[in-house]
Every structure is written in C-alpha cells, then in structure tokens.
C-alpha cells in the first residue's frame, strides 16, 4: 500500500532529519512510529505527502510514485492521504462545517469553493461524520469556540471525509489531556477499522503506541532502529530507541565536546 | 444548540453576520453600488487624469533637488521654531484646561448636568479636525501663532480630558472614602487620593500629545494659524517647488525625530 | 503598603533622593522651556487677554444657525463622504502589495522589506493637507486631488496594520488546507483569507472613520468636499452658515464613528 524507499531529508539548516529510511504500511494495519523528540517522526509524515520535499528516495502509494508527481498530480494524490495534525490546525475563524468540508476541496472547482457551494452528498456525509465523531449540532460553531478534544475530532472528520486510502497522523494527542487522548485514539482507530484503511501514526508515548498499534516502528536520529509487532517491543528495544539514541540535543552537545577536545 | 430537523441532510448554509444570504448579497451590492456612485458623482475626468500624470512628472522634476535661498532658509527656520514653540505651549495649556474638564466628565464625581457639559466639550473637540478648529480660531483672534496655540490647545483638551476622565472613573472609590472619612475637604480628597494614582500615566500621555501637536503645528499655518505651514503654502502658490520639497523634507524629518524622541521618553518614564 | 513597619513609615519618602533631584530638575527644565517658548512666540498680549471674549463673540454671531443653508451643503457633504470612501478604497488597493512587502513572512527579500517599511513611514509622516497641496498642484483643484491625497496618506497606516495581521497568519492552518489536495487559490481562500479578513475589515473601517474627518478639511487647499464651502463662508463672514456647516460636519463625523465602531465590533 504505502512504501517508503530509502528516503532522506536534509533541511536547509543542514539538519539531517532522515538518513535513508525504508518501511511499508499495508492492508488496514495501524503502524505507530515512536522515537524521542527530534528523531524525525514529523519529517517522515510530511515527506510522505510532500508538505516537506524529501531530499532523495521514493514514496509509493499503491502504484503511484508520489515523489515523481508534478505539483498538479501531487494535489490529486494528496486527496488520498488524510493528514491529522499535532496542533489540530483547524482554520480557527471558519465554521466546523467549513473545516470538515475543506477536506473535499480537492474535488471542487475554485468558484464553488469560494461560494461555499458544496456538493449535497458531501454535506450529508459531513453531517454523518460529525455525528460519528460525536459532534452533532456544532456544525455552525466557529472552530475557535471548541475545546481541544472537540477540535481534534473535527480534525479527524476533515481527514476522514476525504475518503482517503491512508491516514497519516502526527502526534494527535500531544496537545490533549490523558483522558481526552484515550477518547481520541479510540475514535481514530475505530474509524480506520470501519473504513478499512491503514494508519501511520506518530506517537510520543510508548504505552499508547503499543496499546493501539498492530506494528511499531522505532525511529532514532533519522534512522529506523526497530520494527516489529507491538508485543515485541521489550525493554531492550526501548533502550535502543530511547537511550542509545540520545535526544538530538544531547548528541550534538557530546559531538561538540568531542570536537573541542580533539582540537586541543 | 437546537438543530433544525426540517433542514435536509444534504443542505447547509454558512451562517452569516447578516440575517441570511440574500441580505448579505444585498448589503454587498449596496456597498459596491455606493462606491461606483461615488466614483461617478465625483466625475473623475479621464483626460485631466492623463494630463495629471504628465503634470505629476513635471512637478516631481521641478521639486528636485530640494533647494532654498539664504532668505528662504531663515524664513523656514523661523517657521519651524514657531511650530515647535506652538506645540509646547499648546500642550501645556491644553493639559491645564483639560484637568477641570476631565473631572466634569467623570461620571463618578460630577453631577449629571456638569457631566454632560464635560462630555460635550470632549465630543466637539474630538470630532473636529485640527484645521477646522484652527480656521475658526484665526477668525476669532487673528492670524498668527496665538490662533494655532488655541486650536491645538483645544484639541489637546478633548484628547486629554477623555483619557483622564476614564482614568478617574476607574479610581478606587474606597481610597477616596478613606480620606473623606478623616475629614478632608473635597479638594484635598482630589489632591491626595486621585492625583497620585494617575500622575505617571499623565506624564506619558503628555509626551505623546506633545508629539501629536508637533505634527499638527506644522500644518495649521496653511489656514493662517502660525508655524511653518504658511511658508509651505506660499511656496506652492509661488510655484517655487524646490523650496516646497525642502520644507516638506524638513517637516518629515522633524516629525520623525519627534516620534522617536517621544517613544524614547515614554519608555523612560514607564 | 500597610505591611511596612511603623518606624520605617515615619521616614518614608516617595522617591530616592537622587531620583527626586532628577525629577525637580526635569520639572524645572520643562518650566523654563515653557516660559521661553511663550516669550519667543512674540504674541501680542492684548490679543491674548481678549481671546476668550473674541471666541465667545464669534459663537454669538454664529447663533442661530442658518437652517435654509442646509440644502445648499447637502451636495458638498455628500462629496465629502464620497471622497472619504473612494480615498479609503484606493488606499486599501495600494496598501495590499505594500502590506505583503512589509510583512516579514511574505516579503521576497531584505530590500523589498525595507522598501515596504519606507513607504509606510514616509506616507504616514506627510500630513494629508500637504498631500492635498501636492495633488492640487498636479491635477488642479477638485475632488480628484482630494481622493488621491486621502488615499496616499492612508497607505502607510493601512499597510502597516495589514502587514501586522499578515505576520500573524498561522502557517499550520494554511498547510492543513494544502494537505487536503486544495489548489493554491483554494488554499488562499480557505487558509489565508479567514485569518486576515477581520483585521482587514477593522482596519478599513477604522481608517475610513479617520478619513471622513480628513475629507472635511482638504477643501481648504481646493481639494474638494465641505471644506471649500466652509472656507468660503468664513471668508465672507457668513457666520450663521458656518455654524450650519460645523453642525453638519459634527453629524457626519459622529455617524461615521458609530458605523465604524459597530462594524469593528461585529468582526472581532
Ligand atoms: N523546518 C525545519 N527546518 C530545519 N530543521 C528542521 C525543520 N523541521 C525539523 N527540523 C529538524 O529535523 C529534526 C527532526 O525533526 P522532527 O521531524 O520534527 O522530529 P520529531 O517529530 O520526531 O520530533 C530535528 O532535529 C529538527 O530540529
Ligand atoms: Mg514532531
């Protein structure tokens, strides 16, 4: 389904965020990516739908090579990838309904989009999705009137209404309290099962990852250091991901120190 | 919020700030129509506009480079100095007068009729452009800086009394009662409880207003109320555009320096 | 305050001695400057003494206002409003590109950024009446010069506030729209427009309110509007007509202030 092939990303700042990473997501599995902050999790997700342009490597979705598409074709391909964001990223001053229906923009003419002239099928679907995520009746509220949990539900609805072939999710719960986090994770995984689509999800907390994921991928300093079923993630594996792979800041500090002592 | 169950599932209209979409489009149409009407009513003559572009290029080339004769230089310096002096005196005068007006316009101190008089003075002062006040003052007291001082002073009263009265309305009435309770007269009450609370802000605002008055003092001369403005107007009437551009540059310079100095001074005070 | 011990309270001073000295010096300096300014201005004290009397006299001569004159000023009043609206509209059109130049997140490079900032501060530093003088010299007397003067004077202010709103755009919201497969234009309509629209409306109405006032005076140098009539009547000492005009100006200024405040409340 989704294949990532030897992908690399070097930011303009010189940061090597991904150092040749390959992985696959198939069927309707839920794959979670874990790793310390700065490991490159967000960069990976963003390279898949090319919000961030990868420096090299390939991304395939089905038989489409995402990394080979022109910008027009890329827009089409993005319709098949629902993205759920860490900070929700709803358009604060638009209504909930507009936020949800913005998931259909890729299928609309600009004039219709401007006039908010949505397809009635899409509107009906939006109402259904809102009901599904437990937000019936708030469609006319502005996004900035909602609580964090409600916002992320709208974020899920916006991704789901794209009828995507895969859900890409970047730390969906890091801005939420623990209780709401569990509700959102439940909802997200249930919906993916119902729609029979795979999910690639970045998670900071290992417990949440193992609880919800079929498979876990461990990332450390831009490299894949663990791959296996959720129950294979034992203490040793965690050590590799989190302790051997120190956080980037620690590593940089250590490197600087080394260089300094070498210079003497 | 109650959902309207009679709405079909596949229909949705974005709620608007207006009553409904039709009203919204009517309002938009009305606004656009009014702008078009404005355009039409002003009757911008196309040929004049075209000729104007040429004239504009001529004007700019006539303005460059800015230049002046020694006599003009002296006139300009005189005008600038007069503007600066006017702004200083007007600010002081305005602040002094605005104190009683502010107390008049504070609804927690003044009796009703007095309150309305105070508010009236403020509203009139704030509504009229400084040049309108200036042109009236020129007729009242004659050409020259006195008219300018009175005009800018009057504008200062509106600005200051409004802010000050709001400040007074915010004052902790508990403190006032405490002093009244120990037997202070009303005046003492004002002096000891009201003033200390508002002095720092007054100083900041005075500096700010001085800056505004400096700007205005450079133009009230155009209607005869003293300062550099009259010199500028004369240069335009004599088509001495190099002198005009010189004066404008100096005015811009003074205004910018004033703005920077005022910002600096206000930071220091706070 | 009451937590201070009582014996310290007996010696309590509001300021440190040095600071107090400084304060006295500054105050003294201000007074000297003030006195010097007053003397240097060379004002005839006879006029000063009679000034309040003269002003009062003027108002008694004005009263009662000439009601019949109302019909004659309807046109120039409308022209004043038209000038303010067109001037504001033109200002917004011109301010948009300047705003994008002077916003650090949309300006192409350092040079364009500085250019944007320069336009903003230059147009703001020249008073509207001076702009009116310039445009009357170019286009001749009339409303056209007035509209342009108002517009150019407003560019800096409008562009500055719009630029600040643009700088506050949340890129995450824009990106989220882009990620759904929306086109560039759609992303602009859904991601950017909603974020800057409120600032846009409030800046426009706020500036319009200021411009109504400005439109009442540009007539003094021949740039159209009610100012022309006001100056003529003052020059011919028709005080009752002058009062009518002043009342009318007060009216439109207060109305525009109300409308502008209402609109701004509505979008916030
Ligand atoms: N826009 C960017 N520009 C430069 N460096 C970046 C940018 N985004 C991320 N990085 C760097 O890339 C590395 C990986 O970041 P990220 O993918 O956000 O990690 P994670 O999501 O796992 O916390 C970090 O070192 C980060 O500093
Ligand atoms: Mg991240």
């Amino acid at each position: 389904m989704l294949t990532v092939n030897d992908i690399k990303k070097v930011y303009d700042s010189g940061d090597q965020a991904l150092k040749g990473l390959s992985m696959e997501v198939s069927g309707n599995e839920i794959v979670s990516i874990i790793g310390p902050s700065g490991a490159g999790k967000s960069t990976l997700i963003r390279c898949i739908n090319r919000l961030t342009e990868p420096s090299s490597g390939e991304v395939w979705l089905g038989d489409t090579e995402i990394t080979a598409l022109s910008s027009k074709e890329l827009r089409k391909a993005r319709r098949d990838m629902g993205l759920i964001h860490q900070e929700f990223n709803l358009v604060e001053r638009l209504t909930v309904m507009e936020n949800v229906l913005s998931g259909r923009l890729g299928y609309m003419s600009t004039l219709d989009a401007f006039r908010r002239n949505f397809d009635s099928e899409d509107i009906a679907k939006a109402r259904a999705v809102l009901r599904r995520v437990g937000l019936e009746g708030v469609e006319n509220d502005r996004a900035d009137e909602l609580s964090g949990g409600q916002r992320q539900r709208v974020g899920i609805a916006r991704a789901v209404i794209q009828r995507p072939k895969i859900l890409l999710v970047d730390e969906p719960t890091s801005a939420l309290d623990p209780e709401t986090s569990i509700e959102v994770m439940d909802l997200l995984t249930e919906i993916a099962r119902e729609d029979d689509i795979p999910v690639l999800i970045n998670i900071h907390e290992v417990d949440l990852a193992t609880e919800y994921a079929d498979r876990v991928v461990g990332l450390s300093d831009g490299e894949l250091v663990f791959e296996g079923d959720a129950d294979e993630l034992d203490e040793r594996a965690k050590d590799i991901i989190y302790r051997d792979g120190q956080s980037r800041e620690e590593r940089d500090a250590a490197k600087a120190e080394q260089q300094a002592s070498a210079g003497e | 919020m109650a959902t309207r169950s009679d709405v079909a599932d596949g229909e949705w209209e974005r709620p608007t700030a207006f009553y409904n979409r039709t009203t919204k489009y009517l309002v938009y149409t009305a606004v656009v129509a009014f702008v078009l009407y404005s355009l039409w009513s002003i009757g911008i003559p196309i040929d004049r506009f075209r000729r104007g572009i040429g004239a504009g290029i001529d004007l700019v080339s006539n303005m460059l480079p800015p230049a002046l004769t020694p006599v003009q230089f002296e006139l300009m310096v005189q005008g600038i100095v007069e503007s600066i002096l006017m702004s200083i005196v007007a600010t002081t005068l305005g602040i002094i007068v605005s104190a009683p007006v502010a107390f008049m316009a504070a609804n927690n101190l003044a009796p009703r009729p007095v309150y309305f008089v105070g508010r009236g003075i403020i509203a009139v002062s704030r509504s009229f452009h400084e040049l309108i006040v200036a042109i009236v003052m020129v007729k009242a007291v004659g050409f020259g800086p006195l008219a300018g001082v009175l005009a800018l002073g009057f504008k200062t009263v509106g600005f200051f009394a409004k802010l000050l009265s709001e400040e007074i309305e915010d004052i902790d009435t508990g403190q006032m009662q405490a002093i009244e309770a120990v037997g202070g007269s009303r005046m003492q009450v004002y002096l000891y409880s009201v003033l200390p609370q508002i002095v720092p802000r007054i100083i900041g605002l005075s500096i700010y207003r001085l800056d505004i008055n400096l700007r205005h003092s450079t133009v009230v001369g155009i209607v005869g109320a003293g300062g550099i403005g009259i010199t500028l107007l004369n240069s335009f009437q004599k088509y001495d555009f190099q002198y005009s551009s010189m004066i404008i540059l100096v005015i811009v310079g003074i205004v910018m320096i004033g703005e920077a100095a005022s910002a600096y001074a206000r930071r220091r005070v706070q | 305050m009451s937590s201070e011990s009582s014996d310290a309270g007996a010696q309590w001073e509001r300021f440190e001695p040095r600071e107090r000295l400084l304060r006295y010096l500054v105050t003294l300096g201000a007074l000297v400057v003030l006195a010097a300014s007053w003397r240097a201005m060379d004002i005839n004290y006879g006029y000063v003494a009679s000034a309040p009397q003269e002003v009062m006299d003027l108002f008694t001569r004005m009263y009662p206002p000439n009601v019949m004159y109302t019909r004659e000023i309807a046109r120039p009043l409308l022209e004043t409003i038209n000038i303010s609206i067109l001037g504001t509209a033109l200002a917004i059109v011109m301010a948009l590109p300047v705003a994008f130049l002077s916003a650090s997140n949309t300006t192409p490079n350092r040079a364009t950024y500085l250019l944007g900032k320069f336009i903003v501060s230059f147009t703001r530093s020249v008073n509207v009446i001076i702009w009116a003088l310039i445009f009357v010299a170019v286009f001749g007397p009339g409303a056209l010069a007035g509209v342009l003067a108002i517009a150019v004077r407003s560019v800096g202010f409008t562009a500055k506030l719009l630029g600040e709103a643009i700088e506050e755009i949340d890129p995450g919201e824009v990106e989220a729209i882009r990620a759904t497969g929306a086109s560039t234009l759609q992303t602009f309509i859904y991601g950017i427009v909603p974020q800057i629209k409120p600032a846009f409306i409030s800046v426009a109405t706020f500036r319009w309110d200021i411009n109504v006032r400005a439109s009442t005076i540009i007539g003094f140098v021949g740039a159209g509007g009610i100012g022309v009539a006001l100056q003529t009547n003052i020059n011919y000492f028709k005080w009752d007509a002058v009062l009518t005009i002043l009342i009318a100006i007060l009216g439109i200024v207060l109305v525009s202030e109300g409308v502008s405040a209402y609109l701004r409340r509505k979008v916030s």
Side-chain angles (χ1 to χ4, degrees):
Chain A
M1 178 80 244
L2 175 77
T3 311
V4 174
N5 215 340
D6 192 27
I7 203 154
K8 290 184 184 145
K9 174 66 192 176
V10 184
Y11 282 108
D12 291 341
S13 58
D15 273 310
Q16 287 192 18
L18 295 175
K19 302 173 176 170
L21 183 142
S22 304
M23 65 176 292
E24 265 185 46
V25 182
S26 55
N28 65 354
E29 64 175 343
I30 295 176
V31 178
S32 74
I33 305 170
I34 61 174
S37 131
K41 303 184 298 295
S42 300
T43 305
L44 174 60
I45 293 268
R46 295 167 55 88
C47 280
I48 290 172
N49 67 1
R50 284 175 60 191
L51 279 180
T52 297
E53 208 54 61
S55 309
S56 70
E58 294 170 4
V59 175
W60 289 79
L61 185 68
D63 337 317
T64 319
E65 189 188 346
I66 303 286
T67 36
L69 299 179
S70 69
S71 65
K72 196 174 165 199
E73 292 164 331
L74 175 63
R75 286 207 298 271
K76 273 216 175 89
R78 277 181 180 154
R79 304 185 302 196
D80 295 333
M81 300 180 274
L83 181 62
I84 294 167
H85 306 253
Q86 186 169 357
E87 307 281 351
F88 324 133
N89 285 354
L90 302 182
V91 183
E92 298 277 306
R93 303 193 70 95
L94 292 184
T95 58
V96 168
M97 194 59 148
E98 284 164 298
N99 268 291
V100 174
L101 284 169
S102 64
R104 299 302 292 172
L105 284 174
Y107 295 92
M108 296 171 69
S109 77
T110 302
L111 185 65
D112 280 342
F114 175 72
R115 296 177 52 212
R116 268 61 171 176
N117 194 6
F118 299 105
D119 192 70
S120 67
E121 212 174 288
D122 288 343
I123 294 172
K125 169 83 172 160
R127 288 187 194 281
V129 173
L130 279 173
R131 216 172 303 138
R132 176 66 189 85
V133 299
L135 287 179
E136 203 173 8
V138 302
E139 61 265 34
N140 286 344
D141 289 6
R142 252 169 39 177
D144 55 10
E145 296 170 33
L146 304 182
S147 70
Q150 288 177 315
R151 284 178 202 210
Q152 197 53 297
R153 287 160 193 269
V154 176
I156 294 173
R158 175 172 64 189
V160 166
I161 203 173
Q162 286 178 236
R163 298 190 185 88
K165 294 187 181 141
I166 186 170
L167 281 179
L168 306 172
V169 190
D170 191 3
E171 300 200 30
T173 61
S174 64
L176 301 176
D177 61 69
E179 211 169 303
T180 321
S181 296
I182 291 175
E183 286 170 19
V184 164
M185 285 302 294
D186 282 341
L187 183 69
L188 188 61
T189 46
E190 281 168 26
I191 287 186
R193 292 274 188 252
E194 287 163 21
D195 289 1
D196 196 30
I197 49 175
V199 180
L200 182 62
I201 180 167
N202 283 346
I203 299 187
H204 196 63
E205 302 99 317
V206 181
D207 297 342
L208 279 180
T210 49
E211 188 178 341
Y212 289 95
D214 304 317
R215 210 149 56 79
V216 173
V217 170
L219 220 60
S220 172
D221 191 23
E223 279 170 304
L224 198 148
V225 292
F226 173 86
E227 188 165 16
D229 288 349
D231 44 16
E232 288 173 34
L233 186 77
D234 49 21
E235 285 307 314
R236 215 176 57 85
K238 284 188 211 167
D239 260 10
I240 294 174
I241 301 170
Y242 286 97
R243 239 157 277 166
D244 281 7
Q246 302 147 310
S247 83
R248 195 179 184 92
E249 290 72 29
E250 286 167 348
R251 209 164 359 83
D252 288 349
K255 211 182 284 171
E257 211 165 283
Q258 254 173 19
Q259 278 168 353
S261 56
E264 270 170 33
Chain B
M1 200 184 105
T3 47
R4 283 157 51 199
S5 51
D6 55 320
V7 174
D9 216 29
E11 275 174 37
W12 179 76
E13 262 195 22
R14 179 187 196 208
T16 73
F18 309 94
Y19 295 100
N20 54 38
R21 259 200 208 198
T22 323
T23 324
K24 178 168 115 177
Y25 287 124
L26 277 178
V27 170
Y28 283 168
T29 319
V31 170
V32 171
F34 192 76
V35 171
L36 289 179
Y37 156 77
S38 299
L39 208 54
W40 170 80
S41 79
I42 280 177
I44 290 176
I46 298 297
D47 60 315
R48 195 153 112 201
F49 194 80
R50 256 209 319 265
R51 260 184 290 134
I53 303 293
I57 294 168
D58 283 353
L59 179 70
V60 171
S61 59
N62 284 337
M63 278 182 157
L64 294 175
L68 33 56
T69 64
V71 178
Q72 287 177 331
F73 176 76
E74 223 164 90
L75 273 176
M76 186 177 81
V77 171
Q78 262 175 27
I80 294 281
V81 169
E82 192 167 77
S83 282
I84 296 173
L85 299 181
M86 270 162 54
S87 64
I88 294 173
V89 175
T91 309
T92 316
L93 191 73
I95 292 170
I96 293 170
V97 177
S98 70
V101 177
F103 282 107
M104 285 166 71
N107 64 7
N108 55 343
L109 295 181
R112 279 291 101 165
V114 177
Y115 171 75
F116 286 121
V117 173
R119 283 281 140 186
I121 295 175
I122 292 174
V124 168
S125 156
R126 289 173 56 83
S127 298
F128 289 111
H129 195 277
E130 50 278 4
L131 282 180
I132 291 187
V133 182
I135 206 172
V136 171
M137 289 301 178
V138 167
K139 285 298 152 175
V141 302
F143 281 89
L146 179 61
V149 167
L150 291 178
L152 297 181
F154 181 65
K155 285 295 288 179
T156 306
V157 169
F159 169 88
F160 234 82
K162 176 163 189 282
L163 295 168
L164 222 57
S165 66
E166 280 160 7
E167 203 81 3
I168 295 171
E169 284 169 3
D170 283 344
I171 279 171
D172 179 5
T173 41
Q175 270 190 48
M176 294 211 5
Q177 279 158 7
I179 294 181
E180 241 166 335
V182 280
S185 74
R186 261 204 115 69
M187 200 55 217
Q188 278 174 316
V189 172
Y190 291 151
L191 283 182
Y192 288 100
S193 87
V194 177
L195 272 184
Q197 294 185 50
I198 54 183
V199 161
R201 221 170 106 78
I202 291 181
I203 296 176
L205 289 172
S206 312
I207 300 169
Y208 178 58
R209 187 66 215 189
L210 182 61
D211 177 26
I212 299 179
N213 282 345
L214 179 63
R215 285 161 184 261
H216 293 169
S217 70
T218 58
V219 292
V220 287
I222 289 176
V223 295
I228 184 72
I230 187 73
T231 324
L232 178 64
L233 182 66
N234 283 339
S235 75
F236 266 96
Q237 281 165 350
K238 288 183 200 146
Y239 304 105
D240 189 353
F241 293 125
Q242 281 182 301
Y243 189 28
S244 310
S245 63
M246 190 72 203
I247 297 176
I248 292 175
L249 271 187
V250 171
I251 290 179
V252 168
I254 298 252
V255 165
M256 283 182 168
I257 292 172
E259 193 174 330
S262 145
Y264 172 78
R266 269 179 293 155
R267 263 202 312 280
R268 280 302 298 271
V269 169
Q270 273 137 31
Chain C
M1 231 184 273
S2 51
S3 64
E4 293 277 329
S5 70
S6 57
D7 54 7
Q11 283 152 28
W12 182 79
E13 301 252 6
R14 258 184 84 194
F15 303 109
E16 294 293 307
R18 255 192 55 171
E19 199 184 341
R20 268 177 63 196
L21 185 67
L22 193 71
R23 267 162 203 271
Y24 283 132
L25 284 180
V26 169
T27 316
L28 194 69
L31 285 176
V32 169
V33 169
L34 184 65
S37 305
W38 179 254
R39 295 210 35 184
M41 254 192 329
D42 216 8
I43 286 174
N44 184 326
Y45 287 95
Y47 289 166
V48 176
S50 63
Q53 191 58 45
E54 302 276 357
V55 176
M56 275 302 140
D57 266 8
L58 196 64
F59 284 106
T60 45
R61 262 176 285 160
M62 283 184 184
Y63 192 84
N66 184 346
V67 188
M68 293 314 292
Y69 192 65
T70 325
R71 237 179 315 136
E72 257 175 82
I73 56 171
R75 261 185 164 283
L77 267 182
L78 203 57
E79 187 178 64
T80 305
I81 294 174
N82 288 339
I83 290 174
S84 71
I85 288 178
L86 288 178
T88 311
L90 188 58
I92 291 169
V93 172
M94 293 193 294
L96 266 181
V98 182
F100 281 98
L101 287 186
S102 64
S104 54
N105 55 341
T106 50
T107 196
N109 56 48
R110 181 103 195 123
T112 54
Y113 179 74
L114 290 178
L115 175 69
K117 291 283 176 210
F118 173 76
I119 296 175
V120 165
S121 69
F122 184 75
T123 55
R124 267 155 47 92
S125 302
V126 177
N127 194 293
V128 67
I129 195 81
I130 298 178
W131 282 118
L133 270 174
I134 294 173
F135 283 111
V136 167
V138 173
F139 292 100
L144 174 61
V147 169
L148 292 173
I150 298 267
V152 172
R153 170 65 179 83
S154 308
V155 163
F157 174 94
T158 317
K160 179 167 187 278
L161 293 183
L162 287 183
E164 281 166 10
I166 292 170
E167 278 177 348
E168 276 168 26
I169 287 177
D170 171 10
E173 297 178 30
V174 183
E175 215 165 60
I177 299 293
R178 203 147 61 87
T180 65
S183 68
T184 311
L185 198 53
Q186 287 174 331
T187 306
F188 182 75
I189 298 171
Y190 275 73
I192 293 178
V193 170
Q195 294 198 57
I196 57 176
K197 192 166 123 187
F200 198 87
I201 294 177
S202 70
V203 169
T205 51
F206 186 38
R207 188 66 216 184
W208 173 66
D209 182 21
I210 296 174
N211 285 347
V212 169
R213 266 164 246 237
S215 308
T216 61
I217 53 103
I218 48 179
F220 295 168
V221 294
I226 189 75
V228 181
L230 180 60
Q231 196 177 34
T232 316
N233 281 297
I234 285 181
N235 286 343
Y236 290 120
F237 300 102
K238 285 198 200 151
W239 295 111
D240 54 347
V242 168
L243 187 57
T244 313
I245 293 177
L246 290 182
I247 292 172
I249 289 176
L250 189 65
I252 59 169
V253 166
L254 291 180
V255 168
S256 74
E257 194 172 283
V259 170
S260 152
Y262 169 80
L263 285 174
R264 268 177 289 149
R265 250 203 326 279
K266 199 121 197 202
V267 295
S268 63

